[in-house]
Amino acid sequence: MLEIIVPGRKTYRLRNLVLDLNGTVALDGEMVVGVEERLRRLSACLNITVVTADTHGTAGRLGESLAFSIRGISGGGESAQKLSVVQDAGWEETVSIGNGCNDVLMLKESALGICVIGAEGAAPEAVTGSDVVVRDINDALDLLLFPDRLVATLRR
């Protein structure tokens, strides 16, 4: 579990991390440099699930080398399927990271939603539906590895 106390806001008791694959932790079907190492470190305190409709057909190959689960979803209705992953995990103990229109519901429902504006950009709804917006996935993961950064951003 990862506990983050944000003065004037709340105490986050996070057990789960749900991430979008393509456009968030991977670009054009390949893992973004630095992500795998950060996720391995976070797996010591969080249950990690990467969710994907496998747009580039690389999820199976990527999943073989990773220390966390990749959960496939079907094309069409991705928003509801991603939301279901967060609800099944327990939204009040989940941090979600994404960038697209189909990530909005999971970002809003999670205890903490982080929007990544990476090389693919980010949907405006994902930006406004998140608690924090960062420039890339490694920055997002570093907020969890170095929680004082998150506290500095969210405290009131």
Side-chain angles (χ1 to χ4, degrees):
M1 182 176 74
L2 179 61
E3 184 175 271
I4 305 170
I5 301 168
V6 180
R9 189 174 177 110
K10 69 186 281 186
T11 297
Y12 295 93
R13 290 181 179 86
L14 304 170
R15 295 186 187 280
N16 310 295
L17 171 58
V18 176
L19 305 113
D20 171 56
L21 180 65
N22 291 303
T24 303
V25 299
L27 179 63
D28 300 326
E30 297 299 324
M31 194 67 63
V32 173
V33 173
V35 168
E36 189 172 347
E37 183 270 330
R38 284 171 172 85
L39 289 177
R40 286 190 197 284
R41 289 174 50 200
L42 286 168
S43 70
C45 60
L46 295 171
N47 300 313
I48 300 172
T49 303
V50 178
V51 182
T52 184
D54 202 14
T55 304
H56 296 283
T58 59
R61 179 177 51 80
L62 293 174
E64 291 173 4
S65 66
L66 304 175
F68 44 85
S69 74
I70 292 187
R71 182 160 167 191
I73 58 174
S74 58
E78 290 104 344
S79 295
Q81 293 175 74
K82 289 180 178 186
L83 176 61
S84 179
V85 171
V86 168
Q87 291 171 331
D88 290 348
W91 66 267
E92 66 282 348
E93 298 179 322
T94 300
V95 54
S96 292
I97 303 175
N99 73 322
C101 284
N102 64 11
D103 298 323
V104 173
L105 294 177
M106 78 172 188
L107 292 168
K108 285 183 175 182
E109 180 76 9
S110 297
L112 181 64
I114 302 173
C115 180
V116 171
I117 302 176
E120 284 190 1
E125 300 91 341
V127 171
T128 59
S130 298
D131 297 291
V132 179
V133 178
V134 296
R135 61 186 173 167
D136 66 39
I137 183 59
N138 288 317
D139 290 340
L141 297 173
D142 283 348
L143 288 176
L144 302 174
L145 289 167
F146 306 99
D148 286 346
R149 296 178 186 179
L150 188 62
V151 171
T153 299
L154 294 178
R155 68 180 169 220
R156 295 178 193 223

